[in-house]
Amino acid sequence: MPKHKPERKFGTAAVIFLIIAAAMVLYLLHKGSFEKFLVLTDTNTKREIERYSIKDGERFSITFVHSVNKSPLTDVYEIRGNDIYVVETHYHSFGAGVQTEIEDGQTLSYTSDGTMVVGGFDKLIPDLSYFVGTVSDHILKIGNREISLRELCGRNCKVSFSCKQKIF
């Protein structure tokens, strides 16, 4: 009577385990069971400052007072996959240091309060970062939340923004 080798049983169990694990990963990916985060990182220390849940197609913005123009400016970004695209900018006045001409493919519109909205950028921003609070605070708006980056990161912090996902 031949003896069964323990290695063979272990090998079969390992194959079954791998098949089940692969099936679970495929199921989770198919069901979209992953969460994306907008991750803020201190570029000098590489320390993660904070992360915020965000969905594909969702927009977030950064508002600050322009250091040269001295008026509020809001940059609006959109998450696409794991990439960040700039889609529009809101100006309260033209002047030094801000865009003064509309380029091909861009649009200019006005809100009811007179804010100028330049849209149609649709440009990938692979390395999005800001120097926080050098002249004024920078306000991150994501969903219904407004976050003071000066309070969160500290004055004169260079903060980078990236999109990362976690599979459950």
Side-chain angles (χ1 to χ4, degrees):
M1 188 180 286
K3 292 185 178 181
H4 293 282
K5 295 182 180 180
E7 299 84 44
R8 188 162 179 91
K9 286 183 181 178
F10 176 75
T12 303
V15 169
I16 291 170
F17 174 77
L18 288 174
I19 290 170
I20 291 171
M24 288 175 61
V25 168
L26 289 173
Y27 174 77
L28 291 173
L29 289 174
H30 175 71
K31 286 297 205 180
S33 297
F34 59 88
E35 187 172 5
K36 289 185 183 198
F37 295 96
L38 180 65
V39 179
L40 284 64
T41 305
D42 182 317
T43 60
N44 292 325
T45 66
K46 307 300 183 219
R47 176 183 66 88
E48 182 178 306
I49 299 167
E50 189 62 79
R51 61 178 45 210
Y52 300 97
S53 182
I54 197 162
K55 294 182 173 96
D56 198 45
E58 188 173 353
R59 292 183 175 191
F60 68 94
S61 64
I62 307 290
T63 299
F64 58 96
V65 173
H66 193 276
S67 61
V68 177
N69 186 309
K70 304 294 186 202
S71 67
L73 183 143
T74 301
D75 291 322
V76 181
Y77 301 93
E78 185 175 294
I79 298 297
R80 297 181 193 165
N82 287 335
D83 295 323
I84 299 173
Y85 284 77
V86 63
V87 291
E88 60 188 38
T89 299
H90 300 205
Y91 299 102
H92 293 274
S93 68
F94 282 120
V98 299
Q99 184 174 351
T100 57
E101 294 182 15
I102 303 302
E103 298 174 9
D104 287 341
Q106 295 178 350
T107 59
L108 172 63
S109 60
Y110 294 88
T111 63
S112 60
D113 69 355
T115 300
M116 294 173 277
V117 178
V118 178
F121 291 110
D122 200 39
K123 180 179 178 187
L124 174 65
I125 307 295
D127 297 310
L128 177 61
S129 62
Y130 284 90
F131 282 103
V132 175
T134 53
V135 173
S136 71
D137 198 357
H138 286 66
I139 304 299
L140 167 64
K141 184 172 182 185
I142 184 166
N144 293 325
R145 297 179 64 183
E146 289 189 4
I147 299 109
S148 162
L149 293 183
R150 185 182 277 176
E151 289 177 18
L152 180 66
C153 307
R155 180 177 226 135
N156 298 321
C157 176
K158 185 177 180 186
V159 61
S160 68
F161 296 76
S162 61
C163 181
K164 297 182 180 172
Q165 64 186 37
K166 177 180 175 183
I167 298 174
F168 293 96

